[in-house]
Amino acid sequence: MEANKVSAGKEDQGMQNPGGQIEKPVGSHFMESMLPKVVKRRVHALKRLQVQCANIEAKFYEEVHELERKYAALYQPLFDKRRDFVTGTVEPTDEECVWHSDREEEEELAEEVKEKAAIEDAKKEEAAPREDPKGIPEFWLTIFKSVDMLSDMLQEHDEPILKHLKDIQVKFSEPGQPMSFTLEFHFESNGYFNNAVLTKVYRMKSEPDDAEPFSFEGPEIIDCEGCQIDWHKGKDVTVKTIKKKQKHKGRGTVRTVTKQVPNDSFFNFFNPVKASPDGEMDEDSEFTLATDFEIGHFFRERIVPRAVLYFTGEALEDDESVKEELEEGDEEEQDDEDDDDDEGDFDTKA
């Protein structure tokens, strides 16, 4: 199911003729059919070698997965400390708070402005000073609201719940198990559901397909599974209750019926569309599933490892820079193609 692959496909390569003009790619079957029989036989031998290369590449990615699992264990104590600082269960030491920023001068000026503002506020307020906030309030909610991919899923009624999110962790499958990773969303006790942890498992495939071995480009997410949320009564934000009037055809009496219908919510993330075993899905379901895979991959590769930089917005700036570079590259490629087209157009009378 091509749409569900997380790994990017390679760009199609045009064939170049001796005169330097770019022609449209020739169909592979047509190209092969034009070869002499003895050459075709050798090409088949090369294809067998290519399949063997793909199988070796699959082993390479299996070892990469094991390395990720190994180093995840080394990262985890740091992520645990991050969680403790965010939730306020541990206060960082002065030494742990030392940070030299490239923007120190700007920050110093900002501090001076803040100090002046604080003095003015203090003059106006005779009441006792407010207590310091605990930890870093709304750390994960701020990230969700800042990242377009996540904010698109976020609804206003989700925000009070996500204020209780303490941590997000990535767990890799154990050796000998099918390749997968699990996203764990850890919540403090709240008035919305009983679960302490909500999970989302992404199953992966890292081996060439027997039918299309040459399409292998590394591990791809092939399926995902959420979890059951144990909502408190009346607190399930993934459904809403609507009232509808019904008229009895015979008696003409009108009654009001209530029913629950699906409601937009981030927490639908834990009830994903299931991949069809035969690969046959309608276009909307396929798009929804592909988007889900992309979000899971983004949590694993970007959000969890670099959370503080998404909180401050620095990672968003980096992402935007990369996006602009890619767009510029695409524009340059298009300009080059247009130039080539212009060079190909000439006046035969000249």
Side-chain angles (χ1 to χ4, degrees):
M1 194 157 39
E2 287 295 323
N4 295 337
K5 290 187 178 181
V6 169
S7 54
K10 296 177 181 176
E11 293 179 356
D12 293 334
Q13 300 292 323
M15 291 191 66
Q16 194 166 17
N17 66 17
Q21 294 292 324
I22 300 296
E23 296 180 348
K24 292 182 180 179
V26 178
S28 59
H29 295 299
F30 176 76
M31 178 69 179
E32 199 169 324
S33 68
M34 297 295 288
L35 296 173
K37 189 174 181 180
V38 65
V39 176
K40 191 187 298 184
R41 178 174 174 274
R42 293 166 191 151
V43 170
H44 291 168
L46 294 183
K47 285 187 174 182
R48 286 177 63 88
L49 293 177
Q50 191 64 43
V51 171
Q52 291 176 49
C53 287
N55 287 324
I56 291 173
E57 188 179 4
K59 294 293 182 185
F60 164 78
Y61 284 115
E62 286 177 10
E63 292 195 21
V64 169
H65 185 75
E66 285 304 306
L67 275 175
E68 285 185 305
R69 192 181 63 81
K70 173 186 174 182
Y71 278 87
L74 301 178
Y75 289 132
Q76 196 54 52
L78 300 177
F79 292 157
D80 288 343
K81 186 171 280 192
R82 177 179 72 185
R83 176 203 60 215
D84 292 341
F85 290 166
V86 166
T87 58
T89 54
V90 173
E91 184 65 27
T93 64
D94 290 342
E95 184 180 355
E96 288 172 322
C97 292
V98 173
W99 178 255
H100 301 287
S101 170
D102 293 335
R103 304 173 182 175
E104 281 182 354
E105 291 184 7
E106 293 178 18
E107 290 174 356
E108 286 175 6
L109 289 172
E111 282 299 320
E112 289 179 11
V113 173
K114 285 181 182 178
E115 285 176 11
K116 290 179 181 178
I119 292 170
E120 291 299 319
D121 289 342
K123 290 177 181 178
K124 294 177 182 177
E125 293 181 7
E126 295 181 359
R130 293 177 297 176
E131 292 184 7
D132 289 335
K134 184 180 179 183
I136 303 178
E138 301 182 13
F139 179 79
W140 292 103
L141 175 59
T142 301
I143 294 171
F144 274 59
K145 292 168 76 171
S146 301
V147 177
D148 290 343
M149 189 182 295
L150 304 182
S151 65
D152 287 345
M153 299 191 294
L154 195 63
Q155 305 298 320
E156 189 174 345
H157 47 252
D158 295 324
E159 295 186 18
I161 309 175
L162 288 171
K163 288 180 181 180
H164 297 283
L165 181 59
K166 297 190 301 182
D167 197 18
I168 305 175
Q169 297 181 12
V170 181
K171 302 294 185 183
F172 294 92
S173 54
E174 294 296 324
Q177 293 182 346
M179 188 181 292
S180 69
F181 67 91
T182 301
L183 299 177
E184 295 183 350
F185 295 74
H186 294 250
F187 286 84
E188 62 189 11
S189 181
N190 60 80
Y192 296 91
F193 48 72
N194 293 317
N195 312 62
V197 182
L198 301 180
T199 60
K200 184 79 168 282
V201 180
Y202 287 89
R203 298 185 180 86
M204 305 176 73
K205 177 183 177 183
S206 184
E207 57 186 26
D209 193 298
D210 291 336
E212 297 180 8
F214 306 130
S215 65
F216 180 70
E217 293 183 333
E220 59 178 294
I221 298 172
I222 56 172
D223 195 14
C224 60
E225 184 177 348
C227 66
Q228 186 73 35
I229 302 179
D230 185 14
W231 293 100
H232 292 173
K233 187 176 180 181
K235 296 295 186 178
D236 186 351
V237 294
T238 65
V239 295
K240 60 183 176 181
T241 302
I242 61 171
K243 293 182 178 181
K244 191 175 182 181
K245 291 184 177 180
Q246 288 184 342
K247 187 175 182 180
H248 193 281
K249 290 183 180 180
R251 294 192 294 269
T253 55
V254 177
R255 65 170 183 166
T256 301
V257 296
T258 60
K259 66 175 183 176
Q260 286 190 331
V261 296
N263 193 28
D264 289 338
S265 168
F266 163 74
F267 291 91
N268 289 320
F269 180 70
F270 300 98
N271 184 28
V273 172
K274 294 298 293 178
S276 175
D278 58 8
E280 295 296 325
M281 298 180 71
D282 64 74
E283 191 174 332
D284 288 344
S285 296
E286 194 167 89
F287 177 78
T288 300
L289 194 59
T291 302
D292 191 314
F293 291 174
E294 187 179 356
I295 293 167
H297 185 74
F298 195 75
F299 267 118
R300 165 186 159 171
E301 295 294 324
R302 304 287 293 174
I303 297 295
V304 173
R306 297 161 60 84
V308 65
L309 301 181
Y310 280 98
F311 177 79
T312 60
E314 292 163 86
L316 296 171
E317 293 173 9
D318 291 343
D319 289 349
E320 192 61 35
S321 297
V322 171
K323 183 180 177 182
E324 288 175 2
E325 287 175 10
L326 290 172
E327 288 175 351
E328 286 174 8
D330 290 342
E331 287 175 5
E332 287 174 7
E333 263 185 39
Q334 186 61 49
D335 289 342
D336 290 342
E337 289 176 9
D338 292 342
D339 290 341
D340 289 341
D341 290 342
D342 292 341
E343 288 172 10
D345 295 334
F346 60 92
D347 189 351
T348 57
K349 296 178 183 178

